[in-house]
């Protein structure tokens, strides 16, 4: 077989040239481009991985914060509930107290009004009874009511027990011999004299000075006052029972309404 | 029309021009043709190479080819694939394109010439010690031929020569015989069957290119690897 050495060596040279040219135009460029792209992709991947890690950390952080917030909100809600409950109780208690205070005030007012009314009633009734009794006595027996009251008062003084007489006598002495007779109405000189004599006789003290005085608080009667002691007769006792009856009637009326 | 007749065994015998010992035959012309396609194609595609994530389809094609070759080399030499890539890759691309263009009417594969396959085999033959020596030095490389004893030297040399011859003849035989078979089949059964054989020829052409390149890589790497192992061994002994 014929060997063409020129072609043989030419093929060697051709091949070496081809190696050089391909190295320059193909492998070098392609490998560089691929490596660059690989590096870019790897960097992008690493970056993405880093971002994912950061995102995960952030997400974990937010999750933790959310949990804390939830726990805090529950706690705060509970606290708020408890506060609201206690505030409600306080308000309720305060309202109850106020209502109670108003009711008490109202009761006191009502009691006061009642007392005033009864007081007024007693005075008016006393005056009325006095007027009626006076007229009736005048019509029937021709004597004044004052005189009759003085009689009754004198009778009372006379009927005092020895112990009482002694106590009053001591009191008169302590007061320096002054006895004060109070009446709701004006006493005539004749009645004053009778009463004065009765007092001197009963307490057996001649030098006693009897002062007469008018006092509207002494309801339709007479009152003897000396140092720390008092002796009286008046319509007050009767009127007190009348007042009790009135109060009872008022209460029953109020309850029935 | 057949450029290489049945009586002519190789494209070497189709001579276009001759002046003294300079002979321009079909082998050289078709080699230049293949070279021109490879170089022009590479230049054209890579002249505006893109390094972005989106790339033109032809660049993508070249990247697939190059990364495929790189992957094959890396299977044999994991560390220095890019170092051997131009030599091994050019062997594969040149032989593959030479063989694949055989489907073009009027074309004769330069690899069906013993001059071409011989030249390529000689390149491998020279590159084996060259890569070894460039990498590790002359002394260590030559020492390899006297392992385990000096008696083995002739056998090593014979092995080198015989495997080079085997490379040369394997490629030549396969491509040349296939072309002849196609020519004979065209004469016997001109319809359909030659088409199947042409398709088979494409497969054989690719396989031969793959075999040639892989064997070259194996020869080169085995020389370098044996040397590396010896270095490791001696280093280990020194350490002990």
């Amino acid at each position: 077989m014929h060997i063409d050495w020129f072609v043989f060596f030419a093929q060697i040279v051709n091949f070496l040239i081809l190696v050089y040219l391909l190295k320059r135009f193909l492998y070098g460029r392609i490998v560089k481009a691929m490596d660059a792209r690989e590096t870019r992709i790897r960097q992008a991947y690493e970056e993405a991985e880093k971002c994912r890690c950061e995102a995960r950390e952030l997400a974990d952080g937010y999750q933790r914060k959310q949990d804390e917030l939830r726990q805090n909100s529950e706690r705060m809600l509970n606290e708020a509930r408890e506060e609201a409950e206690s505030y409600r109780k306080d308000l309720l208690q305060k309202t109850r107290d106020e209502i109670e205070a108003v009711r008490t005030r109202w009761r006191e007012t009502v009691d006061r009004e009642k007392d005033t009314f009864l007081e007024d009633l007693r005075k008016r009734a006393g005056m009325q009874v006095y007027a009626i009794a006076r007229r009736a006595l005048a019509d029937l027996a021709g004597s004044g009511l004052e005189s009759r009251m003085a009689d009754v008062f004198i009778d009372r003084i006379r009927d005092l027990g020895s112990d009482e007489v002694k106590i009053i006598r001591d009191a008169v002495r302590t007061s320096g011999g002054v006895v004060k007779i109070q009446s709701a109405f004006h006493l005539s000189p004749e009645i004053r004299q009778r009463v004065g004599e009765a007092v001197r006789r009963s307490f057996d003290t001649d030098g006693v000075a009897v002062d007469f005085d008018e006092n509207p608080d002494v309801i339709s009667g007479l009152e003897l006052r000396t140092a720390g002691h008092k002796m009286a007769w008046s319509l007050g006792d009767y009127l007190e029972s009348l007042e009790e009856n009135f109060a009872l009637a008022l209460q029953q009326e109020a309850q029935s309404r | 029309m057949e450029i290489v007749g049945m009586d002519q065994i190789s494209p070497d015998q189709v001579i276009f021009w001759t002046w003294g010992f300079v002979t321009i035959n079909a082998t050289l012309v078709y080699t230049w043709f293949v070279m021109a396609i490879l170089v022009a194609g590479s230049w054209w595609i890579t002249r505006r190479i893109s390094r972005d994530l989106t790339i033109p389809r032809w660049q993508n094609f070249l990247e697939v080819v190059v990364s495929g070759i790189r992957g094959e080399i890396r299977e044999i030499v994991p560390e220095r694939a890019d170092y051997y890539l131009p030599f091994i890759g050019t062997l594969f691309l040149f032989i593959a394109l030479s063989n694949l263009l055989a489907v073009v009417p009027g074309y004769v594969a330069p690899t069906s010439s013993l001059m071409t396959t011989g030249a390529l085999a000689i390149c491998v033959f020279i590159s084996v010690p060259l890569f070894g020596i460039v990498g590790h030095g002359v002394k260590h490389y030559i020492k390899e031929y006297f392992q385990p004893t000096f008696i083995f030297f002739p056998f090593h040399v014979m092995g080198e020569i015989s495997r080079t011859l085997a490379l040369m003849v394997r490629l030549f035989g396969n491509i040349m015989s296939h072309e002849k078979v196609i020519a004979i089949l065209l004469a016997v059964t001109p319809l359909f069957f030659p088409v199947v054989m042409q398709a088979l020829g494409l497969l054989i052409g690719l396989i031969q290119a793959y075999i040639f390149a892989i064997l070259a890589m194996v020869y080169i790497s085995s020389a370098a690897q044996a040397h590396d192992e010896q270095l490791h061994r001696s280093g280990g002994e020194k350490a002990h």
Side-chain angles (χ1 to χ4, degrees), chain A residues 36-256:
Chain A
R37 192 177 310 118
E38 200 180 310
T39 310
R40 270 183 67 178
I41 291 170
R42 196 172 50 243
Q43 280 172 352
Y45 182 78
E46 282 168 2
E47 190 119 335
E49 191 66 27
K50 211 173 90 183
C51 287
R52 204 172 62 171
C53 285
E54 284 175 3
R56 193 176 294 149
E57 280 173 15
L58 271 178
D60 287 349
Y62 282 126
Q63 187 66 40
R64 269 200 304 278
K65 275 184 190 167
Q66 208 176 10
D67 291 347
E68 279 174 17
L69 277 178
R70 197 181 297 135
Q71 286 171 359
N72 278 347
S73 72
E74 277 174 16
R75 189 169 50 76
M76 284 164 81
L77 208 64
N78 284 338
E79 283 176 5
R81 256 189 221 124
E82 283 169 10
E83 264 179 37
E85 183 65 22
S86 72
Y87 188 62
R88 194 181 68 87
K89 280 179 182 167
D90 283 355
L91 276 183
L92 211 62
Q93 190 59 40
K94 216 176 270 177
T95 312
R96 274 185 193 144
D97 290 349
E98 274 178 21
I99 290 171
E100 193 58 38
V102 168
R103 193 186 286 167
T104 310
R105 255 201 320 278
W106 177 76
R107 265 188 197 148
E108 283 169 4
T109 311
V110 168
D111 285 348
R112 251 197 322 275
E113 279 180 6
K114 196 171 80 182
D115 288 349
T116 313
F117 173 73
L118 287 177
E119 184 69 22
D120 191 44
L121 178 78
R122 192 161 58 175
K123 281 179 186 170
R124 280 167 188 266
M127 299 297 287
Q128 204 66 31
V129 167
Y130 172 72
I132 292 167
R134 182 178 172 156
R135 186 177 290 175
L137 283 175
D139 290 347
L140 289 173
S143 62
L145 180 63
E146 295 87 354
S147 167
R148 185 63 199 138
M149 276 182 180
D151 291 344
V152 172
F153 187 65
I154 289 164
D155 288 346
R156 279 276 176 97
I157 291 173
R158 278 183 192 147
D159 293 345
L160 281 175
S162 57
D163 291 343
E164 289 163 340
V165 168
K166 189 173 180 292
I167 289 167
I168 292 176
R169 192 182 290 153
D170 291 343
V172 169
R173 277 178 194 146
T174 311
S175 68
V178 177
V179 172
K180 191 179 268 182
I181 302 292
Q182 289 186 325
S183 63
F185 42 84
H186 179 72
L187 292 175
S188 64
E190 184 259 328
I191 293 173
R192 287 188 181 190
Q193 193 183 351
R194 271 203 290 149
V195 171
E197 278 177 8
V199 167
R200 282 184 204 101
R201 207 180 301 136
S202 292
F203 302 119
D204 202 18
T205 46
D206 290 337
V208 73
V210 179
D211 282 349
F212 288 93
D213 192 13
E214 280 181 32
N215 187 354
D217 288 338
V218 181
I219 301 165
S220 301
L222 291 166
E223 199 176 85
L224 181 148
R225 281 176 183 273
T226 184
H229 288 274
K230 187 179 95 171
M231 202 207 103
W233 178 90
S234 73
L235 286 177
D237 295 336
Y238 305 111
L239 292 174
E240 268 173 19
S241 70
L242 177 72
E243 188 182 319
E244 278 173 16
N245 286 340
F246 254 106
L248 194 65
L250 275 175
Q251 202 173 355
Q252 281 171 352
E253 184 70 14
Q255 279 173 354
S256 70

Side-chain angles (χ1 to χ4, degrees), chain B residues 5-238:
Chain B
M6 281 304 291
D7 53 334
Q8 297 168 319
I9 199 163
S10 130
D12 291 337
Q13 289 163 0
V14 181
I15 295 166
F16 293 120
W17 184 72
T18 180
W19 181 68
F21 68 96
V22 178
T23 312
I24 306 298
N25 56 17
T27 306
L28 278 179
V29 170
Y30 287 124
T31 299
W32 291 335
F33 177 62
V34 171
M35 281 171 68
I37 291 175
L38 279 175
V39 174
S42 301
W43 173 79
W44 179 257
I45 293 168
T46 61
R47 78 191 189 288
R48 277 201 297 266
I49 197 154
S50 161
R51 293 181 183 188
D52 293 336
L53 294 180
T54 51
I55 52 173
R57 61 183 66 175
W58 281 107
Q59 185 186 335
N60 192 17
F61 168 72
L62 277 194
E63 285 189 6
V64 168
V65 171
V66 171
S67 63
I69 298 169
R70 246 176 138 191
E72 288 298 329
I73 296 172
R74 207 170 270 156
E75 296 237 327
I76 302 164
V77 194
E79 297 88 11
R80 308 177 70 195
D82 286 349
Y83 180 63
Y84 299 111
L85 177 66
F87 184 72
I88 304 295
T90 307
L91 272 178
F92 173 78
L93 288 179
F94 176 70
I95 297 168
L97 191 66
S98 296
N99 297 346
L100 291 179
L101 285 175
V103 292
V104 177
Y107 171 88
V108 182
T111 41
S112 62
S113 156
L114 203 57
M115 294 304 106
T116 310
T117 58
L120 296 178
I122 285 294
C123 285
V124 175
F125 176 75
I126 295 169
S127 69
V128 170
L130 211 60
F131 276 120
I133 289 164
V134 166
H136 309 292
V138 185
K139 200 176 155 192
H140 283 288
Y141 180 75
I142 292 175
K143 234 171 129 183
E144 265 304 294
Y145 284 88
F146 297 94
Q147 296 295 331
T149 60
F150 68 92
I151 301 166
F152 279 80
F153 177 71
F155 298 108
H156 278 296
V157 174
M158 278 170 65
E160 293 280 335
I161 294 169
S162 64
R163 73 190 187 189
T164 306
L165 281 172
L167 266 184
M168 175 174 81
V169 173
R170 186 187 298 112
L171 182 59
F172 163 70
N174 270 288
I175 304 305
M176 183 274 291
S177 63
H178 186 259
E179 283 192 347
K180 297 304 150 199
V181 166
I182 297 282
I184 292 164
L185 279 174
L186 271 174
V188 178
T189 54
L191 292 174
F192 184 67
F193 200 62
V195 176
V196 179
M197 286 307 289
Q198 285 280 19
L200 187 66
L202 292 179
L203 183 67
I204 290 170
L206 267 182
I207 288 171
Q208 286 306 319
Y210 179 75
I211 287 171
F212 199 102
I214 286 296
L215 281 179
M217 189 65 248
V218 168
Y219 296 154
I220 292 167
S221 75
S222 67
Q225 220 169 14
H227 182 72
D228 284 344
E229 278 171 11
Q230 197 189 6
L231 270 183
H232 283 305
R233 213 167 36 239
S234 60
E237 279 165 9
K238 273 178 196 168

